[in-house]
Amino acid sequence: MIRVLIADDQAMVRQGFGALLAAQPDLLVVGDAADGAQAVAAARRLDPDVVLMDVRMPVMDGLTATRKLLGDRSAQRPRVLILTTFDLDDYVYEALRAGASGFLLKDAPAADLVQAVRVVAAGDALLAPAVTRRLIAEFAARPDRHRPRPTDLAGLTPRETEVLRLIARGRNNAEIAADLVVAEQTVKTHIGRILAKLGLRDRAQAVVLAYETGLVAAGE
């Protein structure tokens, strides 16, 4: 069973998402929270596999809550799936940098929400190409002296660099394997080495880094 915690300041949203997810045979809603502080406390108490995290909440916003959950090295860290509207803002981008495994639009179809929870729980990142790449490209294009430099990728082999570039363009493992004419298991091996070398948690952070270092440019 995939254990899910829902964090949103609107009771109707929590109830609606909760009923939808609870109807799935492989999903178990273990609790909910009305703000980020409650979400952090509940996650530490209930040990969910996935936290559905709203961005804008009182007391503590979803970004701060995500940082607290994913920055706590002493605890089991859940996967965080950010819930947002389409008016993309810095919060969502910063949440991805903090280690969130992706984001989902609040008006997405019910089937997309269910699938998103399963994808994130499986350890993958939810990267809807058209939306996520636009988000990351927009904010990665902004000047920031603290961002990684292209030389930070110097430890990657040419093939690993190409795999990272394809990940950033929204390709899944099967598509990358087809592009490079290699086995899908080989792609998985490359991705594991990329994440280990760069100290990244998952594909979402890999995409962010690819844009920040200029490996992939906005509009590509």
Side-chain angles (χ1 to χ4, degrees):
M1 295 289 285
I2 299 171
R3 298 166 58 83
V4 184
L5 174 70
I6 302 170
D8 195 289
D9 62 339
Q10 298 182 44
M12 290 184 65
V13 172
R14 297 196 305 273
Q15 293 167 6
F17 285 170
L20 171 65
L21 297 177
Q24 308 304 313
D26 58 334
L27 304 182
L28 175 65
V29 178
V30 296
D32 60 32
D35 60 58
Q38 289 182 15
V40 172
R44 290 172 176 168
R45 184 177 72 254
L46 299 171
D47 192 26
D49 300 302
V50 176
V51 177
L52 294 182
M53 186 78 76
D54 188 22
V55 173
R56 298 175 184 176
M57 293 185 289
V59 183
M60 181 187 294
D61 62 62
L63 171 59
T64 303
T66 297
R67 284 176 171 158
K68 284 184 174 293
L69 283 177
L70 301 184
D72 188 354
R73 302 289 178 177
S74 64
Q76 177 67 29
R77 292 176 292 169
R79 297 280 172 174
V80 175
L81 179 59
I82 300 294
L83 296 169
T84 184
T85 58
F86 196 67
D87 59 330
L88 304 175
D89 54 36
D90 289 300
Y91 279 132
V92 183
Y93 178 66
E94 290 300 327
L96 289 173
R97 294 186 71 187
S101 293
F103 73 95
L104 188 72
L105 302 182
K106 280 191 173 181
D107 60 356
D112 287 1
L113 172 61
V114 173
Q115 179 63 14
V117 170
R118 291 173 178 151
V119 166
V120 168
D124 207 346
L126 186 74
L127 298 174
V131 180
T132 305
R133 287 183 300 179
R134 168 183 160 185
L135 167 74
I136 294 172
E138 177 181 349
F139 292 108
R142 298 181 180 182
D144 184 339
R145 62 187 178 87
H146 300 297
R147 285 190 176 143
R149 301 177 301 277
T151 52
D152 294 330
L153 302 180
L156 301 182
T157 66
R159 178 46 60 93
E160 289 166 351
T161 301
E162 182 61 21
V163 170
L164 177 57
R165 184 178 288 110
L166 291 171
I167 291 173
R169 289 173 176 162
R171 302 284 204 279
N172 60 34
N173 288 359
E175 291 169 336
I176 294 173
D179 287 344
L180 300 180
V181 195
V182 298
E184 192 168 340
Q185 183 57 48
T186 300
V187 173
K188 292 179 181 179
T189 299
H190 284 314
I191 292 173
R193 289 173 178 166
I194 291 167
L195 298 181
K197 286 182 177 182
L198 298 178
L200 304 175
R201 189 173 185 221
D202 58 23
R203 294 169 81 108
Q205 289 190 320
V207 172
V208 171
L209 186 68
Y211 276 100
E212 288 184 331
T213 58
L215 180 65
V216 177
E220 284 191 10

